[in-house]
Amino acid sequence: MKKIFFTDLDGTLLTDGKEITPDTQEAVNLALQAGHRIVLTTGRPLASAWIQAERLGLVREGCYIIAFNGGQIYDSYHKTGIYRKTISRSLVPDIFADARRRGIHIQTFSDKEVLAEEERQEIHDYVKRTLQTFRIVPSIAQALDQEPCKVLAIETERRDVIEQFQQDLLRQYGDILDCYFSNDAYLEIVPAHVSKGQALRWLCEYLNIPIEDSVSAGDAPNDIDMIEAAHIGVAMRNSYPGVAQHADYMTKADNNHDGAAEIIHKFILEDG
C-alpha cells in the first residue's frame, strides 16, 4: 500500500535551525524509494518552499508542495502548478491601510519576492527565515501584477492588537476571506475556504489516492485542519498548546530530535 505524507516544514520536518536531521533525511529518502508520496505543506510562499524542496531532495517523482497554507499546489517533479486560489487584488490596499493604522507590519507576495509598503525589522526577519528577497513599494496596488494567494500580518509584541485585527477582518470580509495564526506573531490572511486540510483533500482526489492512505504532521494552529483531515493526523511533541488534542498521535521526539523520522517509520514505512 502506497501512502501520501503531508508534512509541515517549520517546527515539523525542519529543526529550529531550519535544517533537517540526518535520520529524518534518511527516512524521507526511504519513503520515496518505496514509492510513497511526500507533500511539503506550509504557510510559506512557493518560492521559499521550493528552495527547501531542492535542499531536501524533494523534487523527485512523488513530491509536491502545498504553499500559502493551501492557496497553491505545485508538482515538484514536473515543475508545474496544479492549483491556485487568490485574494482579490482590490481588497489588498484596504487590508494594508488598516494594518498600518494599527501599527501592524503587513506584507504580501509576488511569485518571486515579498512585497511591503514599509521597511521594518519584521520583513528582514521574515526573509532571513524563509530565504527570500523583498521589495518596498510606494503602492501595493500598483506593485501587484497578479492577485496574491496570501497577505501576512506580523505583530511580535501586541497579541491583543493583532487578535482584534483578526476579528475585525473576519467581521468585514468573513464571506470571502479567512485568517488564522501560524505562530504567535503571524496572522495568515487567505481566501475563504483555503487551508492545509482543504488542500490535502483536493490533492488526494486529484491523485486518486484514498484519504485512508494519508498521513499528516504539524505543530501549529494552521496545521489543525490538516491533522484532522488526514486518516492519521500527527502532532509534534513541540506543538503549540491545543494542537495535540486534534491529533491521533503525538510524537515521542520533537522536531529537533527526529520527530518526523519517527512518523515516517511508524506510519509510512511500517504502517503502524
Side-chain angles (χ1 to χ4, degrees), residues 84 86-87 89 109-112 143-149:
R84 180 180 171 94
T86 59
I87 296 173
R89 187 161 41 184
F109 306 86
S110 70
D111 281 344
K112 296 181 179 180
L144 284 171
D145 57 4
Q146 62 179 338
E147 294 188 337
C149 290

Side-chain angles (χ1 to χ4, degrees), residues 124-192:
H124 286 277
D125 294 341
Y126 181 86
V127 298
K128 181 180 179 181
R129 184 179 72 84
T130 60
L131 307 176
Q132 291 186 272
T133 59
F134 73 88
R135 181 160 55 100
I136 303 302
V137 299
S139 166
I140 198 66
Q142 295 178 10
L144 284 171
D145 57 4
Q146 62 179 338
E147 294 188 337
C149 290
K150 185 178 83 168
V151 173
L152 179 65
I154 304 177
E155 173 55 61
T156 59
E157 297 180 359
R158 302 171 302 154
R159 178 73 180 198
D160 58 327
V161 172
I162 198 165
E163 285 182 344
Q164 185 61 56
F165 183 45
Q166 177 192 32
Q167 293 171 19
D168 292 343
L169 285 174
L170 289 173
R171 187 177 303 111
Q172 186 172 1
Y173 303 113
D175 56 334
I176 53 175
L177 294 180
D178 199 359
C179 46
Y180 39 73
F181 287 94
S182 56
N183 62 35
D184 289 337
Y186 288 8
L187 180 63
E188 312 275 344
I189 304 165
V190 298

Side-chain angles (χ1 to χ4, degrees), residues 1 22 42 46 55 102 108 111 129 136 143 167 181 205 209 270:
M1 180 186 300
T42 179
L46 178 60
R55 287 184 169 189
R102 301 170 195 246
T108 191
D111 281 344
R129 184 179 72 84
I136 303 302
Q167 293 171 19
F181 287 94
E205 183 176 354
I209 296 174
E270 300 172 13

Side-chain angles (χ1 to χ4, degrees), residues 74 117 151 153 206 234 237 255 257 264:
Y74 191 78
E117 293 179 337
V151 173
Y206 177 83
V234 180
R237 174 60 57 181
N255 64 307
H257 299 90
I264 293 170

